[in-house]
Amino acid sequence: MKLGIALGSGSARAWSHIGVLRALAELGIKPNVVTGASAGALVGAAYASDQLDELESWARDLNRTDVWRLLDATFSGGGVMRGDRLMAAVAERLEDHDIESLSCPFGAVAADLDTGREVWLRSGPMLEAVRASSGLPGLFAPVQNDGRWLIDGGVVNPVPVSLCRALGADYVIAVNLNQSTLKRTGLARKNGNDREMESKKSPLSTPSEPINRWINGLEDFLNSRRSDPADREPGLIEVMSATINIMQDHITRNRMGGDPPDLMITPRFEDFQLMDFHRADEAIELGDVATRRLEEDLVSFVEASGWNGGQ
């Protein structure tokens, strides 16, 4: 019997998948099949290639300045950013492998920009599949793969349960990051916490004061236009984040209605924005908490399935 895990899309919230996988391992549960959409594909690839430690270490070390420096802005093409600099940073931490050679079956989901069809990436270089699955519309430029322009897999299948079953999983645990709704009243508190946490990072990564002021000002512009959270116009990133959350939540509900997982883990988020990749500590903890909240269900589920760890 094979146990699969489908890691959902969710941009910066996807760091919570690390916490989920860690908690499952402590419960003696190590999935035999892993699939992912968007940033969930990155965590899934690290897990399938036995490099989760390296990814977690890098994610926990990121601060706000690091995140902004990894964004290669462009005024041409199909996104605000190309994504090349970010993937180059990932490639410095994770060794690339052909998907066929990984320690367990892995697949990433993307969408064909021209036809709207769902594309399953199950062969070839692992990091190319991750990049193709992560072309968030409007934010990251699409990538060309086998003559097709591919965009974020969360557009068509935010939690790829169906791909998990296609790769041989008899039972599937899904990790859904899209049920949380954005609470704009929490943004002022979040931004304040971000700046306090920034000062606690390693002195080697602390930006100069002018750079810090520039980043603060840019984030204030993008995330809010008025200081009062109760009476302000939402900013650009905030609108994109809320729109994508709504869209993916509806798509996830529809997909799971036709192909439900055997068990679903849902970390609870309140104020995570699209680009909050510097908040890995919080996200990982939320994934751990969500998994342990279902500990009894997980143990019962594994016992009922007859799964024996893949032995």
Side-chain angles (χ1 to χ4, degrees), residues 254-267:
N254 289 333
R255 293 298 301 256
M256 287 190 176
D259 190 7
D262 296 282
L263 191 145
M264 184 162 68
I265 299 172
T266 309

Side-chain angles (χ1 to χ4, degrees), residues 18 22 46-47 49-60 93-94:
I18 298 174
R22 296 296 192 200
Y47 174 83
S49 61
D50 301 316
Q51 299 181 88
L52 194 61
D53 288 345
E54 289 82 354
L55 181 64
E56 180 177 357
S57 176
W58 177 62
R60 287 186 183 274
R93 275 77 181 179
L94 302 184

Side-chain angles (χ1 to χ4, degrees), residues 67-80:
V67 173
W68 286 104
R69 283 173 174 166
L70 290 173
L71 304 182
D72 43 3
T74 178
F75 295 98
S76 61
V80 177

Side-chain angles (χ1 to χ4, degrees), residues 75 81 83 128 146 244:
F75 295 98
M81 288 161 279
E128 284 188 15
D146 287 339
I244 291 170

